[in-house]
Amino acid sequence: MKRIVLLPLTLLIVFGAFAGELANGSQLYQKHCASCHGVDRAGTVAPPLLPLFLRKYSEKKLIYIIKNGLPATQMPPFPQLSEKEIKSIISYIRKPAKIEWSKEKILSSIQLDSSGEKKLPVKNIKNIVAVVERGHQKVWIMEGTKILDKFVFKNVHGGLKFSPSGERIYIPSRDGWIGRYDIDRGKFYGKVRACVYLRNISLDRRGKYILASCWLPKSIVVLDAESFKPVKVIKQKGLISAIYELYSKDEAVFSFRDKPFIGFMNTKNFSIKYKKIKEPYEDFFIDPFENYIVGTSRKGTLLTVYQINNGKEIFSYSIKGMPHLASATFWYKNGKFYFATPHIGKPYVTIWQMYDWKFIRKVNIKGNGFFVRTHPTTPYLWTDNGKDKIVLIDKNSYGVKTLETQKGKRVIHTEFSGDGNLAYVSLYNRDGALLIYDSITLKLIKKIPASIPIGKYNIINKSRKYAPVLLGREVFMLKCWGCHHQTQEAFAPSFRWIVNHRDKNIIISHIMNPEATYKQLGYERNAMPKLNLSKEELDAVLSYMMEFKDAENN
């Protein structure tokens, strides 16, 4: 009986002491921390202080940060606080909190920049590259090897999005802020806080709305892309993996990390249809022609292909190490389409054939990679392996070679200029650099000092609508180049002439069955071979051809 009585008394004493510590921590927090981190810990000028943000920090590390501050940030030291007081604060900020973020809060967070405009010397908007320099919390606007502008954006991490025209760049931060830079006006336009913890952003295909997937609170927030005003907040019951727009219809697609559903959002009226799947997709991408979703489930040990039209999973393959599908890259060779993906924590990149879905092979890169990229101009997949060399995988033989950078620096993330002539590579160190290579000769053209540079973003390589265009260029080189030129007449009319003088349906008919259409086009005999293109090859080459349509004929 004594033990039965003493145990509750002991627990009451412990819980009472803990409650007292939380109460003291709350008072200390409001006195020393709330002015920057928010009275509700949701963050204002400083990041949120909630369990989701703090789980990577040990108590020892948090004590050190509070006691000594963080250099090169606005976090000051608090040497006057005792270790006991600091531990009380830590207990309090690690306590779960119910976070609300209303339309009113979104509206009140809007900050527009009234400063003047400037003219940037942009030659080709499609070659603009936005570079995230995380160490200095800046974004660079570049073309070629020149930095045209820089601006500060706190807690920037990547995931930048371009408007359909390429003139606007939208910048998210994990703590919910979304900013916009206007290239045509050479200025930072302003920012808005969509939520407390943001997963990623997308735009609808017209560029009218910003779509933000949020973890705190769990929701999809729709903002007017011009005014930043909230249009709709749609509560969700799970943690969204990511949301991506479709270019072929007014729809966006998202999945959950913790629930077996895919959401299809109508981007005109924001209604959502949920489709049940076998297991949650923790990461996914949409294929270049928007017919399939490729996802990873079972904590990254299963790759699955979901066919959108029939709502069924049509292919799955077990593999170790979570595929980093958000960084997958696509290419075409010998009549087939492929994608490659790195695997988190594994020393290989995997190669997969698309549409007649199959696993091709693992390619050993001798280290844990995170990104893989390619472009029609280069014969290689450019990837990283956590070390100081760029790893190049031949797209035909899958042979591997490396490109020296700077000893002891960590290579991460390659991106290309829109035309593919330049490759931008990060040395991911506080005293790092942005390296710019000739993508064909592999010669280093320029090295620009940078502090923790990470993502590079270009509208051609990062906007979904251009994925089939890039693949179409490769189909053109294999199937059409012998007779056609893009802009000049060769043995046959140029692509520019064709798309500006012929109806799209006639173009398709002539490609697929030239014997049936040559008379309709005014030819006395047929000189066009029957190409026997697959549906994907046809879609790709048509997308590429339409890039040469003059504006007045669109």
Side-chain angles (χ1 to χ4, degrees):
M1 289 294 293
K2 287 183 178 179
R3 292 177 63 185
I4 296 173
V5 173
L6 285 174
L7 183 58
L9 287 174
T10 304
L11 289 175
L12 285 172
I13 292 168
V14 171
F15 290 155
F18 182 66
E21 183 179 30
L22 286 178
N24 188 44
S26 174
Q27 292 175 357
L28 289 166
Y29 173 87
Q30 296 300 331
K31 180 179 180 180
H32 298 289
C33 315
S35 61
C36 293
H37 293 282
V39 294
D40 56 359
R41 297 188 283 145
T44 52
V45 297
L49 293 179
L50 299 162
L52 187 65
F53 298 84
L54 300 171
R55 60 191 179 190
K56 66 180 179 179
Y57 296 105
S58 67
E59 183 180 66
K60 184 178 179 181
K61 181 66 174 177
L62 289 173
I63 290 171
Y64 180 85
I65 291 172
I66 295 171
K67 196 79 172 175
N68 299 285
L70 285 173
T73 75
Q74 292 182 340
M75 174 66 187
F78 291 90
Q80 74 276 23
L81 294 178
S82 69
E83 186 167 311
K84 183 178 179 181
E85 289 175 318
I86 292 173
K87 284 183 176 181
S88 294
I89 293 173
I90 292 170
S91 295
Y92 174 69
I93 63 178
R94 281 187 163 164
K95 177 188 173 186
K98 186 178 180 181
I99 298 297
E100 298 291 340
W101 199 256
S102 64
K103 280 188 176 182
E104 290 72 27
K105 285 191 174 183
I106 296 171
L107 197 60
S108 66
S109 74
I110 296 172
Q111 301 174 26
L112 301 183
D113 191 334
S114 60
S115 61
E117 303 176 7
K118 58 180 177 288
K119 180 74 173 176
L120 300 184
V122 177
K123 296 177 182 176
N124 183 350
I125 193 71
K126 292 181 178 179
N127 279 329
I128 289 291
V129 173
V131 179
V132 173
E133 187 187 18
R134 182 181 289 175
H136 290 149
Q137 301 189 59
K138 289 184 178 179
V139 178
W140 308 355
I141 305 300
M142 297 189 69
E143 185 177 12
T145 61
K146 294 181 179 179
I147 299 173
L148 307 183
D149 199 8
K150 288 185 181 183
F151 60 93
V152 173
F153 195 76
K154 294 294 180 64
N155 302 317
V156 61
H157 74 280
L160 279 60
K161 301 293 180 183
F162 286 84
S163 66
S165 69
E167 297 286 1
R168 310 279 184 266
I169 302 175
Y170 295 87
I171 310 99
S173 68
R174 282 287 187 227
D175 55 356
W177 288 95
I178 302 168
R180 191 182 100 192
Y181 182 90
D182 294 355
I183 294 173
D184 57 342
R185 299 195 290 174
K187 66 169 290 182
F188 181 73
Y189 173 78
K191 64 180 182 177
V192 59
R193 195 177 192 188
C195 54
V196 175
Y197 185 86
L198 185 149
R199 184 63 182 168
N200 85 312
I201 62 169
S202 184
L203 300 175
D204 73 302
R205 66 173 178 164
R206 296 167 293 164
K208 186 176 180 180
Y209 301 111
I210 305 168
L211 313 174
S213 66
C214 297
W215 281 13
L216 283 177
K218 296 174 184 175
S219 58
I220 295 173
V221 177
V222 182
L223 304 170
D224 184 284
E226 183 61 30
S227 69
F228 289 164
K229 292 180 180 179
V231 177
K232 194 163 188 177
V233 176
I234 309 166
K235 292 183 178 180
Q236 300 296 313
K237 294 181 179 179
L239 297 175
I240 295 175
S241 301
I243 187 166
Y244 300 119
E245 84 291 350
L246 299 183
Y247 62 81
S248 59
K249 62 178 75 171
D250 292 308
E251 202 164 79
V253 178
F254 60 95
S255 73
F256 297 96
R257 298 185 65 159
D258 53 353
K259 291 187 177 297
F261 291 93
I262 299 173
F264 295 87
M265 172 191 277
N266 182 310
T267 54
K268 284 190 171 180
N269 62 22
F270 311 117
S271 61
I272 299 174
K273 294 180 180 179
Y274 296 91
K275 300 290 185 179
K276 197 169 191 326
I277 53 179
K278 293 176 183 177
E279 297 183 46
Y281 290 168
E282 297 181 50
D283 192 10
F284 75 98
F285 69 77
I286 303 165
D287 85 289
F289 306 104
E290 301 193 329
N291 295 315
Y292 302 91
I293 295 169
V294 180
T296 179
S297 56
R298 290 190 196 169
K299 299 192 182 299
T301 62
L302 189 71
L303 185 137
T304 303
V305 178
Y306 175 93
Q307 190 167 13
I308 295 174
N309 285 344
N310 66 19
K312 293 181 180 178
E313 293 177 342
I314 61 167
F315 173 82
S316 63
Y317 194 96
S318 296
I319 191 159
K320 293 180 179 179
M322 179 182 285
H324 189 205
L325 296 177
S327 77
T329 194
F330 312 102
W331 73 99
Y332 169 86
K333 69 172 183 178
N334 301 328
K336 301 291 183 182
F337 295 89
Y338 298 87
F339 79 87
T341 179
H343 290 253
I344 306 299
K346 297 295 179 182
Y348 50 73
V349 165
T350 52
I351 312 295
W352 307 77
Q353 190 170 305
M354 303 173 74
Y355 308 121
D356 46 354
W357 300 92
K358 63 179 70 172
F359 170 74
I360 301 299
R361 68 169 66 190
K362 293 180 183 178
V363 179
N364 188 350
I365 57 172
K366 298 181 179 179
N368 301 332
F370 205 69
F371 296 99
V372 59
R373 305 294 296 152
T374 194
H375 191 281
T377 57
T378 176
Y380 303 109
L381 306 173
W382 294 56
T383 189
D384 50 78
N385 65 359
K387 301 177 183 178
D388 56 9
K389 295 180 178 63
I390 302 165
V391 180
L392 302 172
I393 303 170
D394 189 288
K395 287 188 281 191
N396 289 304
S397 68
Y398 305 126
V400 176
K401 69 177 184 179
T402 57
L403 191 61
E404 299 282 346
T405 59
Q406 185 174 340
K407 192 170 182 178
K409 302 295 183 183
R410 182 188 172 193
V411 169
I412 193 169
H413 193 264
T414 298
E415 191 53 275
F416 297 90
S417 55
D419 57 21
N421 293 332
L422 300 177
Y424 299 81
V425 180
S426 294
L427 296 184
Y428 189 68
N429 299 83
R430 195 157 291 278
D431 57 344
L434 179 71
L435 307 179
I436 306 176
Y437 289 88
D438 184 300
S439 67
I440 299 169
T441 66
L442 306 182
K443 180 183 177 182
L444 178 63
I445 298 173
K446 193 169 185 178
K447 176 182 176 182
I448 305 173
S451 180
I452 316 181
I454 185 165
K456 282 78 61 188
Y457 300 87
N458 166 264
I459 187 171
I460 298 295
N461 296 293
K462 293 301 289 184
S463 294
R464 293 190 37 72
K465 68 177 182 177
Y466 286 107
V469 174
L470 291 175
L471 293 171
R473 173 176 168 175
E474 297 185 82
V475 176
F476 161 77
M477 293 303 295
L478 180 68
K479 304 276 188 173
C480 314
W481 181 75
C483 297
H484 293 275
H485 186 271
Q486 293 98 323
T487 58
Q488 302 295 320
E489 184 172 358
F491 180 75
S494 70
F495 276 6
R496 171 159 286 160
W497 187 92
I498 292 170
V499 297
N500 284 293
H501 290 85
R502 293 179 183 168
D503 181 78
K504 187 176 181 178
N505 290 327
I506 292 294
I507 297 171
I508 293 171
S509 297
H510 194 56
I511 292 173
M512 299 307 291
N513 191 2
E515 282 292 338
T517 56
Y518 75 90
K519 289 183 180 179
Q520 185 179 352
L521 294 174
Y523 298 121
E524 294 184 1
R525 64 182 181 86
N526 177 48
M528 171 89 169
K530 190 171 183 179
L531 298 176
N532 295 315
L533 299 182
S534 68
K535 180 183 182 304
E536 290 79 20
E537 287 176 305
L538 178 62
D539 288 348
V541 79
L542 279 172
S543 296
Y544 183 59
M545 291 177 74
M546 291 301 166
E547 286 295 293
F548 299 97
K549 195 164 187 175
D550 295 336
E552 61 266 25
N553 293 319
N554 278 324

